[in-house]
Each structure stands twice: as C-alpha cells, then as structure tokens.
Amino acid sequence: MSSDADVIIAGAGMAGATLALALKQGGLEPLLIDPVIFDDQLAPSFDGRASAIAYANFRQWRALGLAPDIEPHAQRIEQILVTDATAPGAASGARLPFFLRFDSDEIADRSDGEPLGYLLENRRTRAALAAAVARAGITVLAPARVSGVSFDAAGAHVALADGRVLKAPLVVGAEGRFSPVREAAAIGSIGWDYGQTGVVATVRMARPHEGVAHEYFLPGGPFAILPLTDNRASLVWTEKTDRAKALVAARPEIFHAHLARRFGAFLGEVTVEGPVFAYPLGLQLAERFYAPRAVLLGDAAHGNHPIAGQGLNMGLKGAAALAQVLVDAHRLGEDIGSEVVLERYAQWRRFDTVILSAGMDAFVHLFSNDNPLLRIARGIGMSVVNRIAPARKMFMQEAGGALGDLPRLLRGEAL
C-alpha cells in the first residue's frame, strides 16, 4: 500500500503532538490531524487550564527538545499540602487535624534534584509543542476533521470531512473521549459521570506562593490551588454540577465573593485573571487499547477525574511507551501496525492505567462526601502515611512518574 505517512495521529493535542515528536526522533514519519489549528489553541481563552506535569514527563519533553520554549513558563512544585477540610471554607476556618505534606527535598537524592512536578498553562505547553513540531518538519493538517476510518490487511484508510483519504500502516486515536478512531475500530468503553464539574480559573495573589500546591478535600469535591509563574495560581474548584453552573454564570463580583470565602486569607487578596471555565467530570476507560491497525492514546484510551492530576501524565507516559514500541519494531523490520507489536504497548500500559484509574475513582468516592465515619477513616489513613517516610517517598515518586519499567524518554534518554 502506498502510504501518506508511517503513522497517522488523529489529535494534535499534548499527547498526540508529543507522540509525533518522539516518532520523528526515532526515524518514523508521523502525520498529525486536528480540527483546531495550532494558533487557536494558544489563545488564553481557548480552555484556561493548567496541568501538573510529573517530572519524568518533563524529562521526556527535554529529551524531545522543548526545554528552551517550555522551561521559562514552568513553575516548580516544591511542596504539596493535602488537607481534609471542613465546609464551608478550604483555607479558612477550622480544619480537621488530618493532612499530608509532600516535600521535594525528601526525594532529591532519587530525583536528581527535580521538584515534585511542574505547573504549566496548557497554552504554553501547546505553543512549545507547536514550535517543536514545526522545527521537526512534521506534517500537520489543521483544521481537518476525521469523518471515518476503514481498515484492511495492509493498513488504515483515514477519511477526512473534506473528502481526502489518507493511508498509513497505523492510525492513532488521540482525539479525546469521543474518539472517531476508537469508534471506527469498534472498541467499546466503560465509565460514568460523577455529577461534578471542575470550575477552572487563574488568579493572582498578594503573597508569594513559594511553589506550594494546596489541595483541600471538601464534600462537594476537591479544591486545588496550583502555583503558576509570576505569583499566580490555577484553581481547580470541583463542585456538584448545579452549583458549578451557578458559579460560572454568576456576575464577577459574586464569583469573587464566593472565591474569597473558599480561598481564605493565607495568600492575601486574590484577583481573577481571564475567563472562568467549567468542565464536567467523569470516568471513561476503553475496553481495549488497540485493534488491528489502530491504537488509542490519551483521553481516547482513558479519561479520569483530575483529583490527583494524573490524566495528562498518563497520556504522556503512554506516548513515551507507544513511541518506543513502534520505533523499536520499525528498527527490527516489523510491521508497526500489527497486533503483535501493538500488544506490547497494551501490556506495558494496561495494568498501570487500570490501577491508577481505579485508585482515582476510589478517591473521588472516598473524599467527595461528608460521612463522619469515612472522614475519620480517611483522616487516620492520611495521618499514618504522613508519619511514614518510606510511604511518603513512594507516593512522591509514583506521582512523579518515576516508578516501574520506564520508557527511555521518561528517563531523559533519546529514542
């Protein structure tokens, strides 16, 4: 079959673009398709989100040449404070004496001095990825929408809405939870809605945040204060959906009054910068990671609650694993779209993905309530972990993506 690329990647988001760069570095020719052009994705009004990036995934980006464009906008997370708070306020008023403190100094000898992670506005990450994709000479078709995919023994035929048909030995579905590639490959999914919505905003604070991330578990859902550069913070304010809709629809002064009450005074006066966004929260897991000539990546394979900040990190870890599997197979002369090759990727990522997803789901149900017995049980658990240094270090390394059988890129090594 005459091919337009070695790998067609549907979805030029952060996971898809990272995969494209890794494949290009390894000697394969990727082609990216996305319904939104890169320039539109860089606007502050595009989605407003920021992401906590595990330090192992940050190493991957360095290995792919993104450091000059991404490091000036990356805020080091030096500490994470997790508190089981009482209503109504997160940072003010009485709190239960149960908390967790994670400090990057505790694992400095194991992480080569890396922080616990990095906070980056998504638009900054997209800008760095777009610049790297352009430097690498990777073909990007955007705006372009996948309207269907068909498969035969030789490869995948990707039909675009404008009538074009592209061919490749393998197509990657990296276009989010409603993946056309997943649907065309007849891969089902399981999941459920949490009845919660994440309200996201960027704020500027009067007092220095000193690289400390705060997460408060409240009956309506977690309230996270995530440090950004220039003494700003990204707020992820999880509430029951009806309350979240009311917050987003409220006049700015009303929203600010609720925010001040929830935020507290420990970082001084806070002012909202830019628009406020809302994202419904749920769990979705693909029943399989691949089918003949098709493989899933990122939210197309697993969509999770942001309670532990692992959703994007799982996608980036998957990109590193998939790239290594495909590049190694290509170097050995194997058919990169064969089920034999794709099963290696699935075996590498399946267990970790299911365990993390199940763990986050359990956390949502355990912490998003005000049951007094559960509150006591989880508080005791947090206190025990906080007092056992090896347990704390294990959690920090896991959150940093540095445990287990790591792909070369996550170790900071080129493919």
Side-chain angles (χ1 to χ4, degrees):
M1 182 182 73
S2 175
S3 297
D4 296 287
D6 292 318
V7 181
I8 293 174
I9 304 170
M14 289 183 278
T18 298
L19 174 64
L21 289 168
L23 293 175
K24 184 73 173 184
Q25 184 187 85
L28 288 163
E29 286 298 329
L31 185 152
L32 282 164
I33 302 171
D34 200 273
V36 181
I37 61 174
F38 270 131
D39 287 350
D40 288 352
Q41 297 185 44
L42 309 184
S45 58
F46 182 72
D47 74 3
R49 285 176 290 187
S51 297
I53 306 300
Y55 65 79
N57 281 320
F58 208 78
R59 287 175 182 167
Q60 173 176 209
W61 282 342
R62 288 195 188 109
L64 294 174
L66 272 67
D69 294 314
I70 211 167
E71 288 187 336
H73 307 291
Q75 170 64 50
R76 290 171 60 99
I77 305 173
E78 302 294 357
Q79 291 185 7
I80 301 174
L81 301 180
V82 183
T83 307
D84 193 5
T86 56
S92 60
R95 285 181 254 165
L96 293 178
F98 304 133
F99 64 91
L100 275 169
R101 180 191 295 271
F102 299 116
D103 195 316
S104 60
D105 287 342
E106 285 195 77
I107 58 168
D109 58 330
R110 307 182 187 187
S111 65
D112 298 323
E114 294 276 13
L116 297 174
Y118 296 84
L119 241 296
L120 276 152
E121 292 165 282
N122 287 4
R123 65 188 178 96
R124 300 293 190 184
T125 303
R126 290 192 185 97
L129 287 166
V133 165
R135 286 194 301 268
I138 295 170
T139 300
V140 181
L141 302 182
R145 188 177 299 276
V146 175
S147 60
V149 187
S150 60
F151 307 94
D152 58 30
H157 303 256
V158 180
L160 303 184
D162 62 10
R164 285 177 290 177
V165 178
L166 307 174
K167 299 179 289 295
L170 176 67
V171 61
V172 179
E175 67 276 66
R177 297 193 183 204
F178 305 102
S179 165
V181 172
R182 187 182 67 221
E183 181 179 352
I187 299 175
S189 65
I190 59 172
W192 42 83
D193 180 76
Y194 288 121
Q196 295 177 331
T197 293
V199 178
V200 176
T202 299
V203 300
R204 184 175 298 277
M205 297 166 295
R207 296 175 189 163
H209 57 57
E210 299 180 340
V212 180
H214 301 263
E215 182 152 23
Y216 299 90
F217 289 118
L218 299 166
F223 178 78
I225 305 169
L226 309 174
L228 292 170
T229 55
D230 196 24
N231 206 47
R232 298 169 302 142
S234 175
L235 302 185
V236 183
W237 183 352
T238 306
E239 286 284 2
K240 301 297 184 184
T241 295
D242 55 350
R243 178 172 170 79
K245 288 180 178 178
L247 282 170
V248 174
R251 299 194 308 274
E253 60 270 23
I254 299 299
F255 179 84
H256 188 272
H258 283 286
L259 173 62
R261 184 167 179 258
R262 178 58 49 88
F263 200 97
F266 75 114
L267 287 172
E269 178 66 21
V270 296
T271 55
V272 178
E273 295 193 346
V276 178
F277 301 85
Y279 299 95
L281 305 178
L283 173 72
Q284 180 175 287
L285 285 175
E287 294 175 347
R288 293 175 288 142
F289 278 11
Y290 72 92
R293 303 290 171 190
V295 65
L296 303 179
L297 178 68
D299 282 358
H302 44 71
N304 295 285
H305 195 287
I307 193 167
Q310 289 299 308
L312 175 58
N313 286 298
M314 290 167 66
L316 295 174
K317 198 169 185 179
L322 180 57
Q324 184 168 318
V325 166
L326 297 180
V327 167
D328 287 352
H330 175 67
R331 288 170 178 168
L332 292 171
E334 294 181 279
D335 179 355
I336 61 172
S338 69
E339 293 184 75
V340 171
V341 171
L342 300 180
E343 176 60 22
R344 294 173 198 155
Y345 162 67
Q347 285 184 344
W348 203 348
R349 295 299 306 138
R350 186 184 293 122
F351 179 78
D352 186 41
T353 299
V354 171
I355 291 298
L356 274 173
S357 297
M360 284 184 276
D361 183 64
F363 260 66
V364 172
H365 293 291
L366 178 63
F367 283 94
S368 294
N369 64 77
D370 203 25
N371 183 296
L373 294 179
L374 285 178
R375 191 177 275 279
I376 291 172
R378 69 198 186 210
I380 292 172
M382 291 170 66
S383 297
V384 169
V385 171
N386 199 54
R387 286 168 169 76
I388 302 175
R392 285 199 314 275
K393 292 180 180 180
M394 182 194 71
F395 276 112
M396 284 186 277
Q397 284 187 281
E398 176 63 38
L403 288 181
D405 182 14
L406 296 182
R408 291 191 290 273
L409 284 169
L410 297 190
R411 299 197 297 264
E413 303 169 6
L415 283 176

